[in-house]
Amino acid sequence: QVQLVESGGGLVQPGGSLRLSCAASGRIHGINVMGWYRQDPGKQRDLVASISSIKTVKYGDSVEGRFTISRNRAGTTIFLQMNNLNIEDTGIYYCNLQNIYGGSKAEFWGQGTQVTVSS
C-alpha cells in the first residue's frame, strides 16, 4: 500500500503562484510515475503534470510553460510550482502514484487539495 499526503493548496489571485507538495510513503516501486491531476465539478480527472522515476516529464496542454513539476532525490516527494495562475486553474488537485510492473500497474491517489484562483 502507498500513502500520499498533499499540501500547499489555497487561495491566490490571478497571476499569482502556488507550490504543491505530495509526499509518498509505503511500497513505492522502483519504476513509478507520480503526478498531479485536476478535477473540475462533474468532470473526470485530467492530467496536470507527471514525472517518472527516470525523470520523464509530461504536462497538460493548459499548463505548459507555467507549471513545473519536480521530485526530490529520494523520489518520494513531488512538487508542482504553479506560476501565472488563472481562474481556469481552479479545482481540486489530486496527487497520483503509479507503480509500474511490466504490463500492469498499481495506482494510488491522495485526498486532494483545493486550489482557488480568484480576485
Side-chain angles (χ1 to χ4, degrees):
Q1 193 72 350
V2 170
Q3 294 77 43
L4 301 172
V5 178
E6 302 135 327
S7 61
L11 173 65
V12 64
Q13 292 185 338
S17 298
L18 280 176
R19 188 180 192 229
L20 305 183
S21 300
C22 174
S25 60
R27 296 192 170 196
I28 303 169
H29 190 49
I31 302 173
N32 64 75
V33 179
M34 291 186 70
W36 292 95
Y37 289 72
R38 185 177 72 237
Q39 186 167 27
D40 298 328
K43 296 186 178 181
Q44 67 179 19
R45 292 179 187 180
D46 291 328
L47 175 69
V48 175
S50 68
I51 183 167
S52 74
S53 49
I54 58 171
K55 304 295 178 67
T56 301
V57 173
K58 291 183 180 180
Y59 292 100
D61 290 342
S62 66
V63 307
E64 188 87 49
R66 298 186 298 123
F67 293 9
T68 303
I69 191 168
S70 60
R71 65 194 299 172
N72 67 347
R73 183 167 299 194
T76 56
T77 301
I78 61 170
F79 307 95
L80 184 67
Q81 179 65 42
M82 305 186 293
N83 296 329
N84 194 21
L85 285 158
N86 57 56
I87 293 174
E88 290 73 29
D89 295 317
T90 295
I92 300 175
Y93 285 67
Y94 293 92
C95 182
N96 172 271
L97 183 146
Q98 300 173 33
N99 282 330
I100 311 298
Y101 307 98
S104 66
K105 67 180 181 181
E107 191 168 39
F108 303 90
W109 293 94
Q111 292 191 336
T113 185
Q114 177 71 46
V115 171
T116 302
V117 184
S118 175
S119 56

